[in-house]
Amino acid sequence: MTSASPLELAGWRHVYSGKVRDLYVPADTADDATPAHLLVVASDRVSAFDQVLSPGIPDKGVLLTTLSLWWFDQLSGADGGRSVPNHLAADHALQGDEAKPLIPDAVQGRAMLVRSLDMQPIECVVRGYLTGSGWAEYRAEGTVCGIPLPEGLHDGDRLPEPLYTPAWKAPMGEHDENITFERSVEIVGADTAAALRDLSLEIYRRAAATAEARGLILADTKFEFGYDAEGVLTLADEVLTSDSSRYWDAEAWRTGSTPAERMASFDKQIVRNWLSENWDKQGDPPALPAEIVERTRDRYATLLGLLTAS
Ligand SMILES: Nc1ncnc(-c2cnn(Cc3cccc(F)c3)c2)c1Cl
């Protein structure tokens, strides 16, 4: 399903659309009021190079929401670690039966009922491996987000330590801006900046270990946090999905000889690669061929299966 205008959902009012997700408040929310709950709806839309592409990827919204809910459960203690507070509405953990009536049928399986938080304007990026924009900066300056790295690293190499590389969440629709940790202190204060960094590194390490045990590399990911009504810093948004993270096949990474072979992705790299070869970045991007749509859907479904198969 790919629709230009967001769905009308009984009992909910649409307030914002990102490239691939839509946000709703309860329909009876006054314009200037902050509701207790929000509905985060994941569409089947896929974006790359800042473009929303068509057609959508069938079941993408369900596959990525299912993955987010599984990770929220892992980080609530199912992986053996301490429970990380998250924004899921109490009656919503893993789409419990109590929550189903609150989520419209039209978006069952691809919506999360969440507590509304005081969101912090920091994209908390953690990189365990060198690729993407980090690799580009490293080649140019030998650093990632201003952090100096050893010489001689290649695209796809594992970093000596996972790096916390925050970005300042620009106003809706603009590019996030990579910042130093010190700059994040100026933006959100020292205590919150340190808590965002420590939480992000802890969650990355736990998730990377869980992925590794299932034959997957979590190369990098990004988190968002907000304060709840009790002042607890809470993990929000989507978490550890193919849209917010890069996942690679560990065996391919270990044995591959070229970056393309090593970084056999489970995210939208198939779409990015096809677009790079079939679009000059001018004007509207071409529609994705059925084969690319199907291969991308298959990667999302395979990733979910590899991670959640008990
Ligand atoms: N728990 C929360 N409390 C307050 N605000 C948010 C919040 C606001 N924006 N976003 C990003 C986003 C999520 C989905 C669809 C979009 F269009 C945009 C998340 C959340 Cl998740």
Side-chain angles (χ1 to χ4, degrees), residues 16-18 21-23 38 40 87 114-117 119 237:
Y16 175 68
S17 279
R21 290 176 302 156
D22 304 303
L23 202 61
L38 299 168
V40 171
H87 67 158
V114 300
R115 291 180 290 133
S116 62
L117 304 175
M119 297 301 285
D237 217 24

Side-chain angles (χ1 to χ4, degrees), residues 197-212:
R197 174 198 58 204
D198 297 350
L199 263 172
S200 299
L201 286 167
E202 174 197 345
I203 296 169
Y204 172 81
R205 288 195 172 97
R206 284 169 60 176
T210 297
E212 188 180 355

Side-chain angles (χ1 to χ4, degrees), residues 32-301:
D32 56 353
T34 304
H37 290 98
L38 299 168
L39 194 67
V40 171
V41 178
S43 76
D44 289 349
R45 301 190 299 267
V46 63
S47 82
F49 303 115
D50 274 344
Q51 301 282 329
V52 178
L53 307 170
S54 71
I57 310 293
D59 302 327
K60 175 173 180 279
V62 168
L63 291 165
L64 269 65
T65 299
T66 305
L67 186 53
S68 255
L69 291 170
W70 183 81
W71 277 116
F72 279 128
D73 185 54
Q74 290 295 305
L75 296 166
S76 296
D79 69 345
R82 73 177 186 94
S83 181
V84 175
N86 68 58
H87 67 158
L88 292 182
D91 51 3
H92 183 61
L94 289 183
Q95 310 230 347
D97 290 343
E98 319 79 67
K100 282 204 187 329
L102 300 171
I103 299 178
D105 289 347
V107 293
Q108 278 291 338
R110 63 186 181 91
M112 295 190 290
L113 182 66
V114 300
R115 291 180 290 133
S116 62
L117 304 175
D118 170 17
M119 297 301 285
Q120 299 305 296
I122 303 290
E123 285 282 359
C124 299
V125 180
V126 180
R127 302 163 194 263
Y129 291 73
L130 185 60
T131 192
S133 65
W135 165 243
E137 181 188 330
Y138 174 79
R139 270 192 316 184
E141 301 166 39
T143 58
V144 173
C145 295
I147 304 162
L149 286 182
E151 290 187 9
L153 293 174
H154 302 94
D155 192 7
D157 278 1
R158 181 170 184 171
L159 293 169
E161 282 295 317
L163 283 185
Y164 174 67
T165 60
W168 186 16
K169 283 175 63 57
M172 299 296 179
E174 286 166 50
H175 269 286
D176 297 338
E177 175 192 333
N178 284 344
I179 54 173
T180 61
F181 173 73
E182 290 68 26
R183 178 73 185 108
S184 76
V185 169
E186 292 168 6
I187 296 168
V188 296
D191 294 347
T192 297
L196 292 173
R197 174 198 58 204
D198 297 350
L199 263 172
S200 299
L201 286 167
E202 174 197 345
I203 296 169
Y204 172 81
R205 288 195 172 97
R206 284 169 60 176
T210 297
E212 188 180 355
R214 290 160 173 79
L216 292 161
I217 285 174
L218 175 63
D220 54 40
T221 191
K222 63 181 172 184
F223 305 116
E224 291 188 33
F225 298 88
Y227 281 103
D228 71 5
E230 286 70 46
V232 176
L233 196 56
T234 301
L235 180 58
D237 217 24
E238 61 183 322
V239 62
L240 295 156
T241 69
S242 317
D243 270 350
S244 66
S245 316
R246 283 188 177 92
Y247 286 95
W248 300 334
D249 177 277
E251 190 52 26
W253 181 81
R254 204 176 57 74
T255 58
S257 47
T258 66
E261 279 176 1
R262 296 174 69 200
M263 296 182 267
S265 290
F266 286 91
D267 50 47
K268 50 193 173 187
Q269 197 57 43
I270 293 172
V271 168
R272 281 199 203 97
N273 292 349
W274 184 83
L275 266 184
S276 298
E277 292 148 20
N278 293 276
W279 180 44
D280 60 2
K281 307 280 195 309
Q282 309 293 325
D284 290 339
L288 300 173
E291 185 239 347
I292 296 295
V293 170
E294 186 161 329
R295 278 173 51 202
T296 301
R297 185 202 175 286
D298 177 62
R299 299 305 275 171
Y300 289 145

